Amino acid sequence: MRAAAAASFRLAPATNPPHRRASSSSSCSLKPALTAQPSRVFTLARRSPVARASLGVSHDKGSEVSGADVVGQNDLLIVGPGVLGRIVAEKWQKEHTSCKVYGQTASTNHHSELTDLGIIPSLKGSTISQKVPYVIFCAPPSGSDNYPEDVRVAASNWNGEGSFLFTSSTALYDCSDNMMCNEDCPSVPIGRSPRTDVLLKVENIILEAGGCVLRLAGLYKIDRGAHVFWLRKGTLDTRPDHIINQIHYEDAASLAIAIMKKRLRNQIFLGCDNKPLSRQEIMDAVNRSGKFDTKFEGFTGTDGPLGKRMENSKTRAGIGWEPKYPSFTEFLGLSS
């Protein structure tokens, strides 16, 4: 199937690299399942401004955020309303037009943008006067002085009725050497790395609170993702055959919402497009697509760790979900 063409993208100057997924050591083997669907590039619609005064929004960390007295059955709190969180908000608001969506951030820098999107902003660590039925925690560990405590505070804002979802990482699956890995593969042991340790600890907090976990592969869209970082570099001293797993931001958001709507408890899900590609295959597709104003020169490394091939047919069957973008190549308008 050929996907609808993605918009062309002009590269900005190089910035900090995207987060690298951790490698691991054992493997499981399953055959991937794939259902192709048409694709398009997502554009986030802006919503009418919401008056802060009427919502009683506080920008003080640790304070109480007072909203309407009555809690709606579909009210949602998003901790970390960045790229993914904002797409979740927009999709949720379209399905639940009368709901309130709260967004908690590490600073007030983007609060006016959130307000324009119909999101009630406050600082991370604030508590809502009335607990909400749905909470999704999208904030990364970076920049947090106490990530587990941030999650506990988010859990304290959940009334236990709808769903509490934490977006984690496929780095926690203990699988490597480009082998197949699915939801049933074991997690890395404590002590593998500080990053995986903190994510494992937080996942346990979520599950003990009755929430669910969504382990996501590498997120991307036309102007974000590993491909953009590699394009800016031009060449990298890393091996080209390392397998990368990906999922489009919009698909990650739709899967998160589908999980929350199931109102499930104490489960771990996997988010990926079931089309793992090597670094070389990703950048060959980028060069062929004609969507970018520069070409990638190549990977020059010959050693180093390999990746894993993620497959999430169990999640798809259990949730009843399929991605809009079946693969990175089809997102770019190329045959898979």
Side-chain angles (χ1 to χ4, degrees), residues 248-260:
H248 193 280
Y249 272 99
E250 191 171 350
D251 287 327
S254 71
L255 177 55
I257 288 173
I259 293 170
M260 287 194 290

Side-chain angles (χ1 to χ4, degrees), residues 49 62 107 128 137 174 188 326:
S107 74
I128 300 172
F137 194 104
D174 196 4
V188 298

Side-chain angles (χ1 to χ4, degrees), residues 282-298:
I282 289 173
M283 297 317 291
D284 284 348
V286 166
N287 283 346
R288 294 199 321 269
S289 71
K291 306 299 180 186
F292 300 87
D293 63 352
T294 188
K295 294 288 186 181
F296 180 71
E297 298 300 323

Side-chain angles (χ1 to χ4, degrees), residues 3-6 222 282 285-286 289 291-292 327-334:
I222 192 67
I282 289 173
V286 166
S289 71
K291 306 299 180 186
F292 300 87
S327 71
F328 179 75
T329 52
E330 289 174 85
F331 165 74
L332 291 178
L334 304 171

